[in-house]
Amino acid sequence: MVSPILELTNINKSFGHVHANKNINLKINKGTIHGIIGENGAGKSTLMSIVFGLYQANSGTIKVNGKKINLRSPKDSIINGIGMVHQHFMLVENFTVLENIILGFEGELVFGKNLEKAKKDLKDLCDTYKLNIDLNSTISDLSVGFRQRVEILKSLYRGAEILILDEPTGVLTPQEVDELFKILRSLKEEGKTIVLITHKLIEIMDLTSEVSVMRQGEMVGHTKTENTNKEQLAEMMVGRSVLLRLDKSEVKAGEVLFSVKNLTVKDDLDVTRVKNVNLEIRSGEILGLAGVTGNGQTELLEALSGIRKVESGEIYLEGKKVSDSQNFLDPRELKDKGLAHVPEDRQRMGLVTDFKAYENLIFGYHDQQPFSKSSVLNHRDIISHSKKIMEEYDVRPQSPNLITSNFSGGNQQKIILSRELNENPKVLLVGQPTRGVDIGAIEFIHQRLIDMRDRGAAILLVSVELDEVLSLSDRIVVMFDGKIVGEKENKNVTDRELGLLMAGVV
Amino acid sequence: MAPVDKSKVPWWVSNLIVPLVNLTLALLVSGLFIFIAGENPYEAVRLIIYGSFGYIEGFAYTLYYTTNFVFTGLAFAVAFHCRLFNIGGEGQAYIGGLGVFLVAINFSFLPVPIVWLLSIAGAVVFGAAWAFIPAYLQATRGSHVVITTIMFNFIAASLMVFLLVDVIRDTSQMGPHTVALPKEQWFPSFKDFASLFGIKIRYSPLNISFLLAIAASVFVWFLVWKTRWGYEMRAVGHNTQAAIYAGISPYKNIIIAMCISGGLAGLLGVNEILGVHHKIVAGFPAGYGFTGIAVALMGRNHPIGIFPAAFLFGILYQGGSEVTFDMPNITRYMFVAVQGVIILFSGALENLFRPQIESFFVNRLNIKASA
């Protein structure tokens, strides 16, 4: 019998009315990779924030190596050998790797002896775990994958025996994910304990030896990974059985509804982000646009939807030119012509989070009949319309008068989708439709997009989730450094091939 | 302290209890000032209440001040819904007054009710025009309205002094003011109404502009929450990026919001020129434009909040002058400080006790619900 290195007993945590963690019990064995899986809002991050000392539990005990400890701040956790790599890295961009790691642990006023020792220790750590980091490079020069390694190194240097990783793969390419998993395995071999928080089933199956499932603030199951499978885990997460594979009919592509010729777009800093891009999307077809975040997808979507000015090139809707560098239709005019847009970042662009739900459900269509008559909003019609589409799209809770920021991410996304799809657009531009959305809602959203396609809409799907692009698209193009670097029919194409294109290797 | 789930906080806690607590604290601190100045705070409170409610002329003064604060408070609130910090109410009111006077004096051949309507329109147009320039600069050049509107207050003041000294001065008098408007154009005052009911009172500045203030409040409520324009203004204010995505022009809405704001500030000129002075006197906005900012913040930028907040500041203005009259140790500036404390507690320190109060009530209600 192995004694657990970390043991949580009856942990409770509430935020006001929300019971984020209910009587959580968890045992993590030394030298294992332990997965914690659950939908967004299941309470995984809250639980780990308690373990890392960022939040204090309302009740319950935490034991490390059998000894009860009191965690009042991250400092206490570090002393007890707990380290955490956050979803968003906590690094000073213009410092070097070395400076970032010793930040807060400088130990002396004028750098000298301690710094030399730190350098040596860090080099040893890098060698042991094959981290391959140059201590003198500046953070802003490093790729996302390397920044993550710096975070890992930082925790190790501070003596972490237990390393918590919060959704570590969200921002990585498939190749970077492979590298990360290699590092995590070698950490395990050296006797470190790793806690992996994720909502991706495939990572759990690949990497972990034990897995705990959370749902709505409760721990709903612990199991050895070898004794379970994806379907079973998904069912535990959602509380009902989930369709992991989409039922999709054969593509029946019609005439070209939307096309882009030699499009070049600059960002706000006057940097060319989209370089001479050509695209064609047919009726009844989903074109997937894959790529690592920041390779021009955002600017492309903004240009196509009329938000951003085109530098050169043309955009055609149903064969008619709608935009070039001289004349362009604004988002409103494009909407009238049957182009709908689900933006990548729902809170920054798709919604006014301080608005009530019904106000967001007419956003962009608020000046049309029957919502607005001679500039006066028709409250009754808006509310009845809102109720209808909230029911149809299963937005929960079904209260049009609730402020939008009180809805969960998935339901906010459904508000946007229901608004845009309800207009029955001919062309639909969708950016990251399921980012931060839980499994149950992902299934629903994907089904809606397929329905739209089957009704003859032309859909451009921009997503950093390769699985999503692969399962939805009929054709896939890959964008790298502002250019389209590859186009594939979605048959027999693998995520490896796409990954190489995304990384700009091929 | 864990954040409270906002959706669980009853509206009356955040909109009534919290402002009342802040107000009480401000009054306690003010009481301390009065105590240090060597007067009895309790007696001062008694004088404030007597001065603003105790006799009919006093109460009429309170309502007259309220009228001005409603106009400037609404002005600030409208711009604020588009996240524009229009602190130029003072200058817009000043120029609005010029509009009232010029229209009234030049159209005096028309029937009086029509002159009134035209003068009100003149106030709105002049006030809006004065707000338009900063708005245009903000929309096209990104020049921040906080900077430009405050500069425009000074420009308005200088312009008006120039006009009152060199262009439209009543040459038969020494002071920097214009000739009086014909008597039939003066707004009926509270005194006239009271005499209809056989009540004899002394002079009162309260006039039918008070009704205009009520109308303006209803207008602002309707505009902001019931029309497409208000919807678009709020969208731009809350999330400009999203507004652009939805095809709403920030450029257009910044200008519309500022012009409506300036127009509302201009209405202060109607109260002062048609209702009180019957001519332009130098410096008639007398700081109402600035106090309007505090009124709007305290009233949470909603007409239903702005009206009581304006009334509160009316009480302070009127009651305060009563106190300075009866208590030699308390100067007029003391009451400026008291207003400052209220602004501090209800504006800058608005969230000082909010989390504690909200979680207190949320927990109480939870216990009740589960019991």
Side-chain angles (χ1 to χ4, degrees):
Chain A
M1 183 69 205
V2 231
S3 71
I5 187 168
L6 178 69
E7 187 175 2
L8 309 181
T9 322
N10 284 324
I11 299 282
N12 276 290
K13 176 72 187 172
S14 302
F15 296 104
H17 215 54
V18 182
H19 209 154
N21 283 159
K22 289 177 219 162
N23 290 322
I24 301 285
N25 291 302
L26 179 67
K27 279 182 192 165
I28 291 173
N29 292 324
K30 191 168 164 51
T32 58
I33 300 182
H34 193 114
I36 295 180
I37 193 162
E39 296 187 293
N40 286 290
K44 308 175 299 246
S45 294
T46 306
L47 185 65
M48 287 305 126
S49 297
I50 291 170
V51 174
F52 190 56
L54 285 170
Y55 297 145
Q56 275 73 54
N58 298 120
S59 66
T61 54
I62 302 171
K63 284 183 188 168
V64 172
N65 283 322
K67 203 180 85 207
K68 194 177 158 204
I69 56 165
N70 208 349
L71 298 174
R72 280 177 308 265
S73 74
K75 215 171 166 181
D76 294 337
S77 313
I78 293 165
I79 290 168
N80 284 295
I82 303 170
M84 185 159 178
V85 175
H86 296 268
Q87 226 169 333
H88 304 284
F89 306 142
M90 316 264 178
L91 296 170
V92 183
E93 292 253 328
N94 53 354
F95 273 18
T96 65
V97 174
L98 182 67
E99 285 168 331
N100 264 290
I101 291 173
I102 62 165
L103 188 64
F105 290 77
E106 298 90 348
E108 56 188 345
L109 195 61
V110 181
F111 290 138
K113 225 167 55 213
N114 281 4
L115 192 70
E116 287 311 311
K117 187 177 176 308
K119 260 188 192 163
K120 196 183 157 297
D121 291 350
L122 286 169
K123 280 223 175 78
D124 289 347
L125 281 172
C126 284
D127 291 344
T128 315
Y129 301 109
K130 299 178 190 67
L131 291 174
N132 197 19
I133 300 174
D134 175 8
L135 295 175
N136 293 319
S137 45
T138 308
I139 296 297
S140 53
D141 297 336
L142 296 179
S143 71
V144 178
F146 270 94
R147 291 182 197 200
Q148 194 171 45
R149 287 187 206 180
V150 175
E151 287 279 11
I152 294 173
L153 181 62
K154 189 162 83 179
S155 292
L156 293 174
Y157 176 68
R158 291 176 187 183
E161 286 301 317
I162 306 167
L163 192 62
I164 304 166
L165 292 117
D166 189 1
E167 304 275 1
T169 59
V171 286
L172 304 180
T173 63
Q175 280 75 10
E176 285 175 322
V177 172
D178 283 351
E179 290 292 315
L180 173 70
F181 284 8
K182 256 187 230 157
I183 292 168
L184 295 182
R185 285 195 187 99
S186 82
L187 283 167
K188 185 183 99 172
E189 258 136 50
E190 296 293 322
K192 305 277 181 197
T193 310
I194 290 162
V195 183
L196 178 74
I197 308 174
T198 183
H199 65 270
K200 291 182 189 158
L201 296 164
I202 192 155
E203 293 172 4
I204 294 288
M205 300 313 295
D206 265 13
L207 200 62
T208 64
S209 47
E210 274 152 79
V211 55
S212 302
V213 186
M214 290 188 75
R215 184 172 76 227
Q216 290 172 359
E218 287 177 271
M219 208 41 110
V220 292
H222 305 281
T223 172
K224 290 223 177 285
T225 312
E226 59 197 22
N227 297 338
T228 186
N229 56 37
K230 277 203 264 182
E231 282 71 20
Q232 205 184 353
L233 284 177
E235 199 176 323
M236 277 163 88
M237 275 166 71
V238 186
R240 61 185 167 81
S241 60
V242 182
L243 222 59
L244 284 180
R245 225 162 287 275
L246 277 166
D247 282 330
K248 204 172 76 170
S249 55
E250 269 299 298
V251 57
K252 287 194 241 43
E255 82 272 36
V256 175
L257 280 186
F258 193 66
S259 63
V260 175
K261 289 208 174 87
N262 304 324
L263 188 73
T264 297
V265 182
K266 284 186 174 175
D267 70 6
D268 295 335
L269 301 171
D270 221 26
V271 178
T272 306
R273 300 306 298 266
V274 177
K275 298 168 185 167
N276 207 21
V277 162
N278 289 290
L279 291 174
E280 261 186 7
I281 314 170
R282 294 172 180 277
S283 153
E285 172 190 60
I286 298 181
L287 176 67
L289 182 80
V292 178
T293 309
N295 276 294
Q297 302 98 312
T298 304
E299 288 77 12
L300 177 66
L301 262 188
E302 287 178 359
L304 298 185
S305 57
I307 295 169
R308 189 173 286 282
K309 204 175 144 288
V310 169
E311 199 61 29
S312 67
E314 292 114 41
I315 301 170
Y316 296 86
L317 185 65
E318 290 186 282
K320 284 193 215 79
K321 181 151 70 167
V322 290
S323 290
D324 60 25
S325 58
Q326 300 307 314
N327 304 301
F328 58 95
L329 298 186
D330 69 22
R332 180 74 57 89
E333 293 163 323
L334 287 169
K335 269 189 181 104
D336 292 343
K337 295 212 179 299
L339 179 130
H341 174 204
V342 177
E344 285 187 302
D345 189 334
R346 57 177 167 265
Q347 302 206 329
R348 192 174 63 88
M349 196 175 268
L351 294 166
V352 180
T353 47
D354 294 333
F355 270 11
K356 291 177 174 171
Y358 76 82
E359 290 177 302
N360 272 314
L361 282 162
I362 58 166
F363 195 50
Y365 304 96
H366 57 275
D367 55 345
Q368 293 177 4
Q369 296 263 18
F371 305 144
S372 163
K373 275 181 200 145
S374 47
S375 290
V376 178
L377 295 178
N378 186 346
H379 199 255
R380 199 188 302 147
D381 281 11
I382 293 171
I383 293 287
S384 71
H385 165 83
S386 300
K387 281 196 178 133
K388 200 186 99 217
I389 64 174
M390 283 175 105
E391 197 182 321
E392 202 182 316
Y393 283 81
D394 193 29
V395 180
R396 275 177 271 176
Q398 262 176 46
S399 8
N401 275 306
L402 192 63
I403 301 285
T404 309
S405 54
N406 290 323
F407 287 86
S408 71
N411 282 302
Q412 291 182 5
Q413 189 68 14
K414 282 186 190 170
I415 288 177
I416 300 180
L417 271 165
S418 63
R419 176 182 76 207
E420 299 302 324
L421 298 190
N422 188 58
E423 296 295 313
N424 244 323
K426 292 178 199 133
V427 177
L428 179 64
L429 309 173
V430 206
Q432 321 296 352
T434 58
R435 179 186 275 172
V437 172
D438 54 54
I439 287 202
I442 289 177
E443 186 194 0
F444 180 88
I445 289 169
H446 283 175
Q447 201 52 57
R448 290 290 169 152
L449 291 176
I450 298 281
D451 291 349
M452 281 293 298
R453 155 202 184 248
D454 291 345
R455 267 184 277 154
I459 301 178
L460 175 68
L461 168 75
V462 177
S463 176
V464 291
E465 298 283 346
L466 257 190
D467 292 343
E468 180 164 79
V469 174
L470 280 166
S471 64
L472 282 178
S473 315
D474 301 306
R475 234 169 2 112
I476 299 172
V477 292
V478 180
M479 203 163 173
F480 175 75
D481 191 26
K483 290 184 278 247
I484 301 291
V485 291
E487 179 173 341
K488 306 255 176 204
E489 287 296 317
N490 191 6
K491 288 170 192 156
N492 313 324
V493 61
T494 65
D495 57 348
R496 299 287 117 180
E497 284 174 61
L498 291 178
L500 290 174
L501 287 169
M502 282 162 69
V505 177
V506 186
Chain B
M1 174 112 230
V4 189
D5 182 359
K6 288 279 173 210
S7 63
K8 297 293 186 297
V9 180
W11 66 269
W12 49 269
V13 171
S14 41
N15 293 326
L16 284 179
I17 305 277
V18 174
L20 279 178
V21 168
N22 287 335
L23 182 62
T24 313
L25 284 169
L27 291 179
L28 285 175
V29 173
S30 308
L32 202 64
F33 284 0
I34 292 167
F35 180 72
I36 292 167
E39 296 284 355
N40 180 352
Y42 175 78
E43 184 62 18
V45 170
R46 204 193 59 78
L47 275 174
I48 290 175
I49 291 173
Y50 172 75
S52 49
F53 293 102
Y55 56 100
I56 195 147
E57 286 92 346
F59 187 62
Y61 259 100
T62 304
L63 290 182
Y64 151 72
Y65 290 125
T66 305
T67 309
N68 279 342
F69 294 139
V70 167
F71 288 139
T72 53
L74 291 174
F76 182 82
V78 166
F80 193 74
H81 280 293
C82 200
R83 283 302 175 274
L84 294 161
F85 224 77
N86 176 19
I87 55 176
E90 193 81 3
Q92 290 142 18
Y94 215 165
I95 301 296
L98 179 67
V100 173
F101 179 79
L102 291 181
V103 170
I105 204 103
N106 286 313
F107 291 90
S108 48
F109 55 89
L110 289 171
V112 170
I114 292 175
V115 175
W116 284 351
L117 287 178
L118 288 177
S119 303
I120 291 170
V124 170
V125 169
F126 272 59
W130 202 247
F132 173 79
I133 307 167
Y136 177 78
L137 292 173
Q138 168 82 63
T140 57
R141 305 261 157 193
S143 318
H144 206 288
V145 285
V146 168
I147 312 286
T148 46
T149 51
I150 201 144
M151 293 197 317
F152 266 68
N153 285 340
F154 288 103
I155 300 173
S158 310
L159 176 70
M160 290 300 283
V161 168
F162 163 70
L163 291 176
L164 287 173
V165 171
D166 285 343
V167 186
I168 50 173
R169 186 166 69 93
D170 176 4
T171 45
S172 65
Q173 304 270 327
M174 289 299 288
H177 56 75
T178 61
V179 292
L181 293 169
K183 203 155 187 188
E184 61 273 14
Q185 286 186 1
W186 298 7
F187 264 3
S189 80
F190 177 58
K191 188 182 172 189
D192 306 332
F193 279 99
S195 65
L196 284 182
F197 297 99
I199 305 165
K200 268 209 133 96
I201 58 168
R202 277 170 290 141
Y203 168 76
S204 173
L206 181 63
N207 60 75
I208 55 168
S209 300
F210 184 69
L211 303 176
L212 185 64
I214 295 173
S217 302
V218 175
F219 164 77
V220 167
W221 169 77
F222 189 77
L223 171 86
V224 174
W225 281 278
K226 296 291 157 187
T227 68
R228 205 186 99 195
W229 300 317
Y231 177 91
E232 295 193 353
M233 268 161 46
R234 284 183 295 132
V236 171
H238 283 303
N239 189 342
T240 310
Q241 288 269 358
I244 295 169
Y245 153 78
I248 297 166
S249 159
Y251 169 87
K252 204 174 91 188
N253 280 284
I254 286 171
I255 288 178
I256 292 176
M258 279 297 284
C259 287
I260 292 173
S261 175
L264 285 163
L267 289 178
L268 184 135
V270 176
N271 190 23
E272 290 292 318
I273 310 291
L274 288 182
V276 183
H277 302 298
H278 312 123
K279 60 190 168 209
I280 305 178
V281 294
F284 74 81
Y288 297 118
F290 290 113
T291 312
I293 300 169
V295 168
L297 289 177
M298 197 170 174
R300 318 212 88 216
N301 295 302
H302 194 292
I304 291 174
I306 288 171
F307 218 92
F311 186 57
L312 173 77
F313 275 85
I315 293 169
L316 277 178
Y317 258 58
Q318 168 56 15
S321 54
E322 195 84 15
V323 173
T324 50
F325 197 70
D326 278 17
M327 292 184 158
N329 286 338
I330 311 282
T331 61
R332 197 166 65 78
Y333 298 105
M334 229 20 224
F335 264 83
V336 178
V338 170
Q339 282 169 34
V341 172
I342 291 182
I343 294 169
L344 188 68
F345 273 89
S346 60
L349 302 179
E350 213 234 323
N351 292 323
L352 190 59
F353 296 106
R354 182 176 291 276
Q356 284 84 345
I357 297 170
E358 287 183 343
S359 67
F360 171 78
F361 278 96
V362 168
N363 291 339
R364 281 288 297 268
L365 292 170
N366 283 352
I367 292 163
K368 229 188 263 171
S370 57

